Amino acid sequence: MADLRIFSYLPNPRVWKATIAARFCAVDVEIRGASAKELRDWLWDYDARPLAEHELQSLSSLARTGRVGLTGAQLFKTDAFLEAQPFGNVPAAFGPDGTIGIFESNSIMRAVARLGEATYPLYGHDAYEASRIDSFLDVSLVFARDAQIYLLALSGGTVDVTIHGRAKEAFAIYASGLEQALSSRRETLVGNGITLADICFAAELALFMNEHARAEQLKERGLDRILYPGVQDEYPLVFAHFARLVDHEHFGPDLKPFVDKLLSKAAG
Ligand SMILES: N[C@@H](CCC(=O)N[C@@H](CS)C(=O)NCC(=O)O)C(=O)O
């Protein structure tokens, strides 16, 4: 049995926070899921699985309306799922027997680091380093909130100047802080090795690169690209760090194909 099971729509950079961490510290993580569209016909449960046509009818009492990302969709979330996952979101992680639910991708990644701490110190060497890592995870979540609103609006075709402006400001604050943190010739955000702070950063920036696939829509609405072609010169250390991480053997399997695909859209 895996150390941790994660259920999510796939591919999802938030899930990669955990799978990248798992490669560093040799934790066995099982991933279950399918595309966001297909998850509408899945049972949302520790034992998540696709539902057969006849089950979709008989389980209609479980149908709950999605609110974030899957807005308005009827999702079949069991009572046990909601007991373990009170906010009902994915990625949703579970301990081995499914009773303990862990939610929020940063916390799921922390669970992996704690389970594998004897193998690799992804969560720092002491209370001070761990807390500095938490500082980066907290600011990442603040950025991620505005980024999520922006990306969902882009995918739903509802982006406007206010949503765009908030995301632009959030990115500027996030990237400036990271640029500052990397400025004294540091190769990682905390201490001397890769930690959860770097993994979270790489996954969040990869997720934000979904903007590259929406350039046409932004143009139509007279909005600029937040990740415009010159953004690398504005935050050179941030983008150099990102490039290093994407090429890393434990990040590459998840991030490289995804990032390369989005970069080719940006160029096209
Ligand atoms: N901050 C959360 C975001 C999770 C989230 O918002 N998930 C959305 C999809 S993007 C969801 O599961 N929605 C299900 C619903 O609305 O019922 C994380 O990092 O895990």
Side-chain angles (χ1 to χ4, degrees):
M1 190 182 287
D3 300 315
L4 203 68
R5 182 182 291 175
I6 303 176
F7 168 59
S8 179
Y9 63 84
L10 302 172
N12 181 354
R14 293 190 187 100
V15 171
W16 298 339
K17 294 178 185 178
T19 49
I20 293 166
R23 280 185 208 103
F24 276 93
C25 38
V27 170
D28 183 10
V29 173
E30 179 192 345
I31 308 293
R32 282 198 189 187
S35 72
K37 193 164 167 266
E38 286 170 87
L39 281 200
R40 290 160 192 240
D41 295 338
W42 272 57
L43 188 67
W44 289 43
D45 189 60
Y46 169 61
D47 196 16
R49 59 181 173 84
L51 290 166
E53 192 63 43
H54 69 275
E55 290 180 298
L56 290 170
Q57 305 296 326
S58 63
L59 292 173
S60 61
S61 64
L62 294 183
R64 316 192 198 236
T65 308
R67 285 196 303 201
V68 184
L70 298 142
T71 319
Q74 292 301 301
L75 304 170
F76 296 91
K77 298 179 185 177
T78 63
D79 290 342
F81 179 83
L82 287 174
E83 205 164 306
Q85 306 287 340
F87 296 90
N89 285 340
V90 290
F94 299 87
D97 66 358
T99 50
I100 295 200
I102 302 155
F103 42 95
E104 284 297 322
S105 56
N106 287 350
S107 294
I108 297 170
M109 167 182 77
R110 281 189 186 96
V112 175
R114 288 183 174 117
L115 288 166
E117 67 182 350
T119 306
Y120 192 96
L122 271 181
Y123 207 171
H125 289 94
D126 57 29
Y128 297 103
E129 274 191 11
S131 303
R132 183 169 163 85
I133 291 166
D134 282 338
S135 308
F136 281 105
L137 302 191
D138 287 355
V139 293
S140 295
L141 186 56
V142 173
F143 163 64
R145 169 80 185 140
D146 283 325
Q148 182 184 39
I149 293 169
Y150 177 56
L151 294 175
L152 290 175
L154 281 173
S155 69
T158 58
V159 75
D160 63 23
V161 71
T162 309
I163 293 172
H164 176 268
R166 280 206 192 125
K168 192 172 174 175
E169 174 72 2
F171 178 76
I173 291 170
Y174 185 54
S176 306
L178 294 174
E179 188 73 12
Q180 176 65 35
L182 291 163
S183 61
S184 43
R185 281 194 280 156
R186 301 189 52 85
E187 293 239 319
T188 59
L189 289 168
V190 180
N192 295 320
I194 286 173
T195 67
L196 296 182
D198 303 292
I199 297 177
C200 177
F201 152 67
E204 291 298 345
L205 185 53
L207 187 57
F208 198 61
M209 285 175 67
N210 273 309
E211 188 202 49
H212 290 321
R214 308 286 174 185
E216 205 51 44
Q217 187 187 148
L218 287 169
K219 206 167 161 194
E220 273 164 31
R221 291 174 195 225
L223 298 169
D224 55 358
R225 285 158 57 179
I226 299 174
L227 298 179
Y228 66 100
V231 73
Q232 312 224 4
D233 304 327
E234 210 179 326
Y235 306 104
L237 300 172
V238 168
F239 282 91
H241 188 41
F242 183 68
R244 264 196 313 273
L245 293 175
V246 171
D247 279 340
H248 188 287
E249 58 171 332
H250 293 332
F251 289 70
D254 292 321
L255 289 187
K256 203 158 175 38
F258 184 83
V259 166
D260 284 350
K261 192 168 160 196
L262 287 172
L263 284 176
S264 71
K265 290 196 180 175

